[in-house]
Amino acid sequence: AEREFLKEAVVSTQSTGITINSFRTDLLKDDIENLYPRCGMLYPEGLKFLKNAEDREEVRRICERYGMYKDLHSGVGDGPNDKTLEDRFFQEEVKMLALGFMNSFHLGVFFAFVKLKEQENRNIVWIAECIAQKNKSKIDNYIPIF
């Protein structure tokens, strides 16, 4: 059950990312729909709404209809110290994956381990990029794992 919840949450987050990344592209609505996975918390009706979304505000309104996404858009901004929506998704994903370790004897632990290692790699790349670009003021904007 936990493994399914983790998988559905990650897939739904990816669907939202596909929608946002499709803005200002030449993709047709049907092409966007073909990119969506056929599972997740937003499947099927949420994906139909997302397919037709025209901006981030509309994506936010659609996602607020679904429990775990209700508060996800709070604190998102375009300022230099604000979190992006992608950052908030990663933060929420890390929380859920950490919960995967609370119970044993299920395969969700392995999934959570791999996904948390991916986040650890993203954090290392973020820190390295901040150092390389001499932008040490943003070095603490990584997503802590535990």
Side-chain angles (χ1 to χ4, degrees), residues 13-101:
T13 299
Q14 290 171 348
S15 300
T16 307
I18 289 169
T19 303
I20 291 171
N21 291 330
S22 71
F23 296 151
R24 295 182 303 264
T25 65
D26 295 334
L27 285 173
L28 301 173
K29 299 296 182 187
D30 290 335
D31 294 337
I32 295 169
E33 186 176 29
N34 289 333
L35 294 174
Y36 292 141
R38 302 287 183 253
C39 59
M41 294 177 185
L42 301 176
Y43 179 78
E45 71 275 346
L47 296 180
K48 289 178 185 172
F49 292 125
L50 281 178
K51 174 182 88 166
N52 296 313
E54 297 293 330
D55 58 18
R56 287 178 179 262
E57 182 60 29
E58 194 170 350
V59 170
R60 184 187 63 76
R61 283 194 307 271
I62 293 166
C63 289
E64 283 180 345
R65 298 176 188 170
Y66 299 89
M68 73 171 275
Y69 296 104
K70 202 169 219 148
D71 298 324
L72 207 54
H73 291 268
S74 65
V76 172
D78 294 326
N81 293 326
D82 291 336
K83 295 281 185 189
T84 65
L85 184 58
E86 186 177 48
D87 289 340
R88 294 284 292 139
F89 281 145
F90 284 136
Q91 282 178 329
E92 195 62 31
E93 182 179 354
V94 165
K95 284 183 199 173
M96 287 185 297
L97 293 170
L99 290 175
F101 288 101

Side-chain angles (χ1 to χ4, degrees), residues 85-137:
L85 184 58
E86 186 177 48
D87 289 340
R88 294 284 292 139
F89 281 145
F90 284 136
Q91 282 178 329
E92 195 62 31
E93 182 179 354
V94 165
K95 284 183 199 173
M96 287 185 297
L97 293 170
L99 290 175
F101 288 101
M102 298 304 170
N103 293 327
S104 55
F105 307 115
H106 61 85
L107 295 176
V109 173
F110 298 108
F111 177 79
F113 176 79
V114 170
K115 297 303 280 183
L116 288 171
K117 278 296 186 184
E118 288 175 4
Q119 182 60 49
E120 183 179 32
N121 289 337
R122 281 191 291 268
N123 288 345
I124 291 169
V125 168
W126 173 262
I127 292 168
E129 288 291 327
C130 287
I131 292 169
Q133 295 174 12
K134 296 180 174 51
N135 195 354
K136 293 184 181 176
S137 63

